[in-house]
Amino acid sequence: MGEVDPAFIQDLEHRPKLEIIIAEGIPLIDLSIICSRNTNLDNCQALDDLVKEIGNACKNLGFFQVINHGVPLDKRQKIENASRQFFGQPLEEKRKVRRDGRKVLGYSDTEHTKNVRDWKEVFDFAVKTPTIVPSSYEPDDKEVTEWFHDQWPEYPLELREALEEYAKDVEKLAFKLLGLVALSLGLPENRFHGFFEDQISFLRLNHYSPCPVPQLALGVGRHKDGGALTILAQDDVGGLEVKRKTDGEWIRVKPTPDAFIINVGDIIQVWSNDAYESVEHRVMVNSERERFSIPFFFNPAHYTDVKPLEELTNEQNPVRYKPYNWGKFFVTRKRGNFKKLDVENIQIYHFRIPESELADKLEGALSIK
């Protein structure tokens, strides 16, 4: 089997079980009603049904799959082929476009989740050029910096074009889904759109090579996504697991051909004041087959102050989170990707108002009445 770097080894309580529980009941939602150019959505019962379906999925699971989503299959196949060609190169070639603390876009094979190294390699691509983010994670540092795509691999030549074309189509899908989420919360369809004018969304190509110790390591450790929505394309190998809310069991999301897996991120959880919940998930590896996936992380502008929306809070449903700056949150999380930290990386529960304080507010509101 050979030596495996201890940095990859999960703590005993987080090591994966090799027996697989296939997820049942993860909704497979047909988006043809909103992706067809010939559909009139005025007073459309089908749209109302779709919005209800999206809302139930966000509330009950935090995960769902979509089909007939409007992203052309050939665009997806093109990016998948380019990804395989890029990761199939020798390590020294891939590391020519390696990212670091200064060049944050490009290749990496040293990411950490929860301070444990992931069994994966990635290539990151920002949707907007330039992408503007805070210069540092320090709260008092008001400077910003620009992320440029200043390093591209020599092979394959079509990687850049494939990424740019695919990103445009997935971004359109992201806005459609964002509108459906807003409607499901009883908000105007475009309620969230303004937060994304200067978005810092990015695409990632993931490659999980066969792992000799799949009972000890994870492709990506347990985590919740910090952004608004994640749109995931995965191959037929599978490996994504979701932590079931009812009993804490890890369940496998079976790949569906030409479907995308959608998960609610932390920002939606905060905006909705816990009406919808970001769900913990992880990625398993196996000893025989490599796996590829392409997540699109849909993130608002760096200057967005994330807090529960006023329309969704009242005396009976008081604000559950203190505001936080998304840009600072984002670059703080990124810092933890490059090296092992002495403490757990930043999470939204750090901004959560204690239950005792919420209970006092609710009791006070009831006593006034």
Side-chain angles (χ1 to χ4, degrees):
M1 183 173 68
E3 290 292 328
V4 173
D5 188 335
F8 289 107
I9 306 303
Q10 295 284 326
D11 290 340
L12 186 61
E13 66 268 31
H14 300 302
R15 291 176 187 174
K17 299 177 182 178
L18 295 186
E19 59 269 25
I20 297 172
I21 303 174
I22 298 296
E24 296 181 359
I26 291 185
L28 184 63
I29 300 177
D30 189 339
L31 298 183
S32 56
I33 187 67
I34 63 166
C35 293
S36 172
R37 296 180 180 179
N38 300 319
T39 303
N40 182 4
L41 296 181
D42 294 336
N43 301 315
C44 180
Q45 182 61 47
L47 177 60
D48 293 341
D49 293 342
L50 174 60
V51 168
K52 184 177 180 179
E53 201 174 2
I54 293 286
N56 287 337
C58 291
K59 181 179 180 179
N60 298 327
L61 294 170
F63 263 82
F64 55 95
Q65 298 185 80
V66 295
I67 56 173
N68 297 321
H69 40 65
V71 178
L73 180 59
D74 63 329
K75 299 281 185 69
R76 178 164 166 173
Q77 291 172 335
K78 185 176 180 179
I79 189 66
E80 288 173 347
N81 291 336
S83 177
R84 288 178 180 274
Q85 290 176 328
F86 172 73
F87 288 121
Q89 297 181 101
L91 185 59
E92 59 268 22
E93 288 298 317
K94 291 178 285 191
R95 284 184 171 174
K96 289 180 179 178
V97 290
R98 190 175 188 173
R99 69 184 202 195
D100 54 33
R102 186 178 65 85
K103 293 183 177 182
V104 296
L105 302 172
Y107 175 79
S108 175
D109 60 352
T110 59
E111 277 209 344
H112 291 68
T113 303
K114 303 286 188 183
N115 285 326
V116 181
R117 188 172 171 185
D118 296 328
W119 190 276
K120 69 177 181 185
E121 52 183 345
V122 306
F123 185 91
D124 284 346
F125 166 81
V127 172
K128 297 296 182 183
T129 302
T131 293
I132 301 174
V133 299
S135 295
S136 78
Y137 60 90
E138 297 292 345
D140 296 330
D141 185 355
K142 305 303 181 184
E143 296 296 317
V144 296
T145 189
E146 297 179 341
W147 288 358
F148 287 95
H149 294 286
D150 54 0
Q151 51 178 3
W152 288 96
E154 297 178 5
Y155 177 83
L157 292 175
E158 63 269 21
L159 178 63
R160 181 172 187 171
E161 180 183 16
L163 279 167
E164 290 172 347
E165 290 179 354
Y166 181 79
K168 290 177 182 178
D169 287 307
V170 180
E171 182 187 13
K172 291 177 184 177
L173 173 60
F175 275 110
K176 290 176 182 177
L177 290 167
L178 194 68
L180 290 170
V181 171
L183 289 171
S184 74
L185 288 166
L187 302 168
E189 184 177 1
N190 64 352
R191 178 61 177 89
F192 299 125
H193 284 37
F195 297 119
F196 292 82
E197 289 183 6
D198 298 309
Q199 60 179 285
I200 54 175
S201 305
F202 68 99
L203 267 174
R204 166 168 289 179
L205 306 179
N206 283 324
H207 175 233
Y208 305 93
S209 61
C211 177
V213 287
Q215 76 280 12
L216 300 178
L218 288 166
V220 184
R222 73 200 191 283
H223 69 285
K224 297 183 177 184
D225 291 347
L229 292 172
T230 302
I231 301 175
L232 176 72
Q234 64 169 342
D235 63 16
D236 62 350
V237 175
L240 176 65
E241 293 192 336
V242 180
K243 193 172 187 179
R244 191 161 53 193
K245 293 182 182 180
T246 54
D247 58 9
E249 285 284 356
W250 289 100
I251 56 175
R252 178 71 56 91
V253 181
K254 185 178 179 180
T256 300
D258 196 29
F260 285 110
I261 298 169
I262 315 298
N263 70 277
V264 171
D266 287 344
I267 288 178
I268 294 292
Q269 178 169 336
V270 174
W271 278 342
S272 72
N273 204 39
D274 282 352
Y276 298 159
E277 183 181 353
S278 175
V279 179
E280 196 167 34
H281 52 286
R282 68 184 187 183
V283 176
M284 295 276 285
V285 289
N286 67 78
S287 60
E288 298 177 355
R289 298 183 65 186
E290 62 183 343
R291 176 178 180 264
F292 297 85
S293 70
I294 310 169
F296 175 89
F297 299 101
F298 195 39
N299 301 324
H302 75 89
Y303 47 76
T304 302
D305 287 327
V306 181
K307 58 185 178 181
L309 298 181
E310 292 183 9
E311 305 98 300
L312 301 178
T313 60
N314 52 44
E315 289 182 341
Q316 286 70 45
N317 184 29
V319 170
R320 296 178 178 273
Y321 295 91
K322 302 172 186 176
Y324 63 90
N325 175 262
W326 164 243
K328 291 295 185 182
F329 187 100
F330 179 72
V331 297
T332 302
R333 276 279 188 97
K334 278 287 187 184
R335 174 173 168 256
N337 289 344
F338 292 105
K339 62 180 180 179
K340 183 174 181 178
L341 304 177
D342 295 329
V343 295
E344 183 184 23
N345 210 339
I346 192 169
Q347 309 291 337
I348 59 170
Y349 69 73
H350 294 137
F351 303 94
R352 189 176 177 86
I353 296 173
E355 289 296 327
S356 58
E357 187 175 334
L358 291 174
D360 290 342
K361 287 183 179 180
L362 186 56
E363 184 178 349
L366 292 174
S367 64
I368 292 175
K369 291 188 176 183

